[in-house]
Amino acid sequence: MNGQKVGFSNKLGFILAAAGSAVGLGNIWRFPYLAAQYGGGIFLLVYLILAVTFGFALMITEVAIGRKTGMSAIKAFSVLNKKFSFIGVLAAMVPIIIFPYYCVIGGWVIKYGTVFITGQGAAAASDGYFGEFISTTISPLLFTAIFIFLTSVVVLLGVQKGIEKISKILMPILLLLTIIIAVYGLTLDGAIDGLIYYVKPNFSAFSLKTLVAAMGQLFYSMSLAMGIMITYGSYMQRKDNLESSVRSIEVFDTVIAFLAGLMIIPAVFAFSGGDESKLDQGPGLMFVTLPKVFNSMAGGNIIGVIFFVLVFFAALTSSISLMETIVSIIMDKFKIKRSIVCLIVMLLSMLIAIPSSLGNGVWSNILILGKDFLSFFDFLSNNIMMPIVAFLTCIFVGFIIKTKTIEDEVELSGKFKAKKMYRIMIRYICPVFLLIIFISSVVGYV
Ligand code: PHE
């Protein structure tokens, strides 16, 4: 079924492209502050255990569905069982919701990159700079449009010449830059206390919240439940080992998340004299606190440039995967040429991104469920739709088409070592975990 598509040229191409999707803003700003907030080492431990069980089972399922059917989400589910194509439709809605607002944040990253490159790091460190920037009308929209345009160029170039090529260049550089900043950060006075705070397990901080927060993060971080891994799986070759590829993606994603913590937590500690509250600021951590931290260090402007360049790479490869998923779904469904679909998706996304950007400024008085547009789209996709899609996928695979369908696909390229664990995870443990995540986030527990 896979024959007619141009896919990734080899296993490394697939791994780096999928890792490019997984490694994104979630790894860089969200993982470090969650780890700091939920007990340091204990959070890391819980996260690791969940990654190799829960995350692994979900990711292998999606990649195998993609590779088996050779199709993106909507078609893939309908090929497996016509009655359940609605799961594919729900999955397809997630990247459509996320892509525009993700690009708004991508635009902020480009803005900060240009500020540091032009040597104005000190201005970015001044109080109120971020709030003022995102509340203006034209400038953030312009940066969003640039970010969408750059993403579109890569997607237009296609799977091998665009996505695979750029991932092979950007991902190793991203890893290297992250290591450079982490090492530099650790040499600052007071950084070691931050390191200890980050990695030492604080068992008393462990609670159900730790578990729920780690699950939610894992899920988002591995780009699950939105058709991305199905699409990328459809471009994977049958001879490439599916199980070991999924393991490699998880390792890459987790290593970058861990290094991001090393890069941020000790530096913030050194800057704030050990004030933990500075870490707990969500997006503000990256755009408000870090510029202040950089401004206080020797050579901070250069570090700022390196930092925002690496965040840009991380965000770009993730947004590429979002756009590719949307484009491939439309191409599969309507049989339209890639170039035309790219153009349409690019223009529409620029339009749909407008409310998410203006919601921080002139439209800040328009609230949905008490949230501005960007936060609302984020909540809708991450807290509501994604757990539902993942839950339905587990039930579909576990009880309708049966896990054997997936196992056979995995075994086309070698022995499925974790088969027993996989079965239990998909049929029983994952659905229960997903229900817990869903209920907790709906009642506002985490
Ligand atoms: N996995 C990305 C991250 O960790 C988030 C993301 C999800 C990006 C979906 C793109 C698509 O930041």
Side-chain angles (χ1 to χ4, degrees), residues 15 23 26 39 41 58 106 113 141 162 166 169 176 196 211 225 243 247-248 272 284 291 318 337 349 366 400 416 442:
I15 293 173
V23 173
L58 288 174
L141 281 177
I166 199 129
I169 301 171
L176 185 75
I196 295 172
L211 194 67
E243 187 176 17
R247 287 271 182 238
S248 309
S272 66
S318 293
K337 265 187 20 206
S349 307
I366 309 176
I400 309 291
F416 189 175
V442 170

Side-chain angles (χ1 to χ4, degrees), residues 235-247:
Y235 301 141
M236 186 186 190
Q237 298 191 18
R238 292 250 144 78
K239 65 177 169 42
D240 293 337
N241 190 303
L242 208 153
E243 187 176 17
S244 66
S245 302
V246 167
R247 287 271 182 238

Side-chain angles (χ1 to χ4, degrees), residues 21-27 98 102 217 220-223 226 228 253 318-319 321-322 386:
S21 171
V23 173
L25 298 169
N27 300 58
I98 297 185
Y102 201 82
Q217 168 65 11
Y220 179 77
S221 185
M222 303 231 163
S223 303
M226 51 185 112
I228 291 182
D253 187 60
S318 293
S319 78
S321 72
L322 286 164
M386 287 163 67

Side-chain angles (χ1 to χ4, degrees), residues 20-259:
S21 171
V23 173
L25 298 169
N27 300 58
I28 297 171
W29 66 259
R30 198 155 178 265
F31 183 87
Y33 84 78
L34 284 178
Q37 190 179 344
Y38 289 104
I42 186 73
F43 181 88
L44 294 177
L45 189 69
V46 171
Y47 186 88
L48 277 179
I49 295 173
L50 288 172
V52 299
T53 53
F54 178 76
F56 169 78
L58 288 174
M59 192 184 284
I60 226 165
T61 303
E62 296 197 12
V63 176
I65 289 181
R67 196 174 73 170
K68 182 175 173 57
T69 58
M71 289 291 163
S72 50
I74 299 185
K75 275 261 168 174
F77 278 96
S78 73
V79 166
L80 293 172
N81 186 327
K82 267 228 147 12
K83 278 197 224 126
F84 288 84
S85 58
F86 72 93
I87 306 179
V89 174
L90 284 178
M93 285 164 65
V94 182
I96 296 176
I97 298 173
I98 297 185
F99 181 57
Y101 83 75
Y102 201 82
C103 290
V104 171
I105 305 177
W108 299 346
V109 174
I110 299 186
K111 160 77 181 178
Y112 272 67
T114 56
V115 165
F116 278 90
I117 287 172
T118 52
Q120 299 163 332
S126 61
D127 283 334
Y129 184 87
F130 177 60
E132 211 163 286
F133 166 65
I134 61 170
S135 66
T136 46
T137 301
I138 300 296
S139 169
L141 281 177
L142 228 52
F143 283 105
T144 303
I146 295 173
F147 190 85
I148 295 181
F149 176 75
L150 294 174
T151 306
S152 308
V153 171
V154 179
V155 175
L156 179 69
L157 289 172
V159 178
Q160 253 179 39
K161 294 207 192 94
I163 302 172
E164 178 173 339
K165 203 166 194 178
I166 199 129
S167 307
K168 280 185 170 162
I169 301 171
L170 297 190
M171 295 314 285
I173 302 180
L174 189 151
L175 181 64
L176 185 75
L177 297 183
T178 312
I179 295 174
I180 293 175
I181 303 195
V183 170
Y184 181 76
L186 286 172
T187 62
L188 301 171
D189 271 350
I192 298 305
D193 291 337
L195 174 67
I196 295 172
Y197 176 74
Y198 179 40
V199 296
K200 194 173 139 214
N202 172 2
F203 290 98
S204 63
F206 182 81
S207 70
L208 184 63
K209 268 195 177 160
T210 314
L211 194 67
V212 176
M215 275 193 290
Q217 168 65 11
L218 178 77
F219 202 42
Y220 179 77
S221 185
M222 303 231 163
S223 303
L224 296 167
M226 51 185 112
I228 291 182
M229 292 300 162
I230 300 183
T231 298
Y232 277 18
S234 76
Y235 301 141
M236 186 186 190
Q237 298 191 18
R238 292 250 144 78
K239 65 177 169 42
D240 293 337
N241 190 303
L242 208 153
E243 187 176 17
S244 66
S245 302
V246 167
R247 287 271 182 238
S248 309
I249 300 165
E250 287 183 325
V251 170
F252 204 115
D253 187 60
T254 308
V255 165
I256 296 274
F258 178 71
L259 285 173

